[in-house]
Amino acid sequence: MGYYNDPPPSRSRRSGRAGTFLAAIAGVLVGALVVWLLFSSVPGLAPGNNTATETAAGNTEGAASSNSVSISTDVTEAVDIAADAVVGITNLQESSNFWNGSQGQDQQQEQAVGTGSGVIYKNEGGRAFVVTNHHVVDGANALEVTMSDGTKVEAELVGSDIWTDLAVLEMDGAGVEKTVEFGDSDALKQGETVIAIGSPLGLEFSGSVTAGVVSGTDRAVPVDLNGDGQEDWQAEVLQTDAAINPGNSGGALINLAGQLIGINSMKIATDAVEGIGFSIPINSAMPVINSLETTGEMVRPAMGVTLVDLIQVPQRERQETLNLPEDVKTGVVVDTVVEGSAAAQAGMEQYDVIVEMDGQPVGDIIELRQHLYNEKKIGDTMTVKAYRDGEEMTFELKLVDNSEI
């Protein structure tokens, strides 16, 4: 039997194997070089070096723990200055107790019918004074102030003014630590940062802070004071986009110095829009606050008449009763004249149609009141131009205290 040996490898096969071996060696060298470069650039990754592990552990510990940082801004500093002077106001009114009433005992008790906000502006002689909105305290049998720390203090109404929607309360000042500083609302600029502080939606949210800017100054907003659907007044207000919600009424609008520059008033806000809130400028409010505090009322000059807008008078009555010229389209009709009043002494009569005061046109009752209340003082003389039975007449009125009529 013969044996056969494998034929010796050819030269080409030997060359292929050699090339494969050399390629493998080159790959190993390149990989080693890459690893060496990596370890050189990041020493913590080298074998036997625990730096990477410790760093990772440190990062893990850092993510799990908290690091308290105290951040202070212009807004937080302003709030620190003024917040403790802002309080909650609860309007308490009498109502029948159902259970006692069912037993034949008609017993009255006081219940909270509404809440708002207020600002402590004075603390003297053991008595503290709070400014708020008229509509916050309107109809109250009793009033309760909730301090910033939750303490509740009984308060008394000193005076209230429906026209400016302002009221002043008085309470024990023993627990009052801070009062607000009045600023200058006339110095405000559009775009200036302002902060609203109050109790939106109730006392559970007392001390709430919202920030925004002054959107506009010297705004005039029509107000229905008696709920009859007719505009009675145009309130002069600041406009801001700082959120002002129900319960913020009577609260503070402050500047970045922590000064009070406005009294927030939801009474004149519009619910159908967002980003528009209104505040009574403090410069307009201060004379009213001072008068309410010292006299219990806001004393204004009075003419001694009741009025009707000419636009409400039918055309037939304009022609037959008033006998007005056709070109007289706007004005204010005198409905009644109070005996002994400034108007009576000047000779004014029923159905006189006022068209001008001190040389300024008067188109409706709101314009008349604006001029009378904002431009005139008790004791001033006011020139009134009116039509009587088609004839233009001029009257000189010596204005008197409205409380005397």
Side-chain angles (χ1 to χ4, degrees), residues 82-96:
D84 287 344
V86 181
V87 297
I89 307 290
T90 303
N91 183 321
L92 300 170
Q93 297 184 18
E94 289 185 354
S95 63
S96 296

Side-chain angles (χ1 to χ4, degrees), residues 311-388:
I311 196 172
Q312 297 180 356
V313 179
Q315 182 63 32
R316 180 177 177 179
E317 295 297 329
R318 296 188 192 188
Q319 294 175 345
E320 296 181 1
T321 303
L322 304 179
N323 193 24
L324 280 176
E326 293 185 359
D327 60 340
V328 179
K329 305 294 184 183
T330 60
V332 182
V333 183
V334 175
D335 186 34
T336 59
V337 179
V338 178
E339 185 177 352
S341 66
Q345 293 179 7
M348 296 192 72
E349 299 178 0
Q350 185 184 38
Y351 302 145
D352 287 347
V353 181
I354 300 172
V355 294
E356 190 177 289
M357 299 170 69
D358 292 328
Q360 298 181 17
V362 173
D364 54 32
I365 294 176
I366 291 177
E367 291 183 359
L368 184 148
R369 286 172 176 159
Q370 292 285 110
H371 180 81
L372 181 63
Y373 294 164
N374 295 341
E375 305 296 333
K376 310 302 291 186
K377 298 179 181 179
I378 296 171
D380 286 353
T381 298
M382 182 171 67
T383 303
V384 176
K385 183 180 292 186
Y387 282 92
R388 178 184 296 171

Side-chain angles (χ1 to χ4, degrees), residues 219-225 230-237 267-270 278 366:
R219 299 296 198 220
V221 178
V223 184
D224 175 14
L225 297 175
Q230 300 292 326
E231 297 174 0
D232 303 300
W233 182 247
Q234 281 192 324
E236 297 179 0
V237 294
K267 183 75 172 181
I268 51 179
T270 304
F278 297 106
I366 291 177

Side-chain angles (χ1 to χ4, degrees), residues 21 37 225 263 273 296:
F21 177 76
L37 290 174
L225 297 175
I263 305 296
V273 297

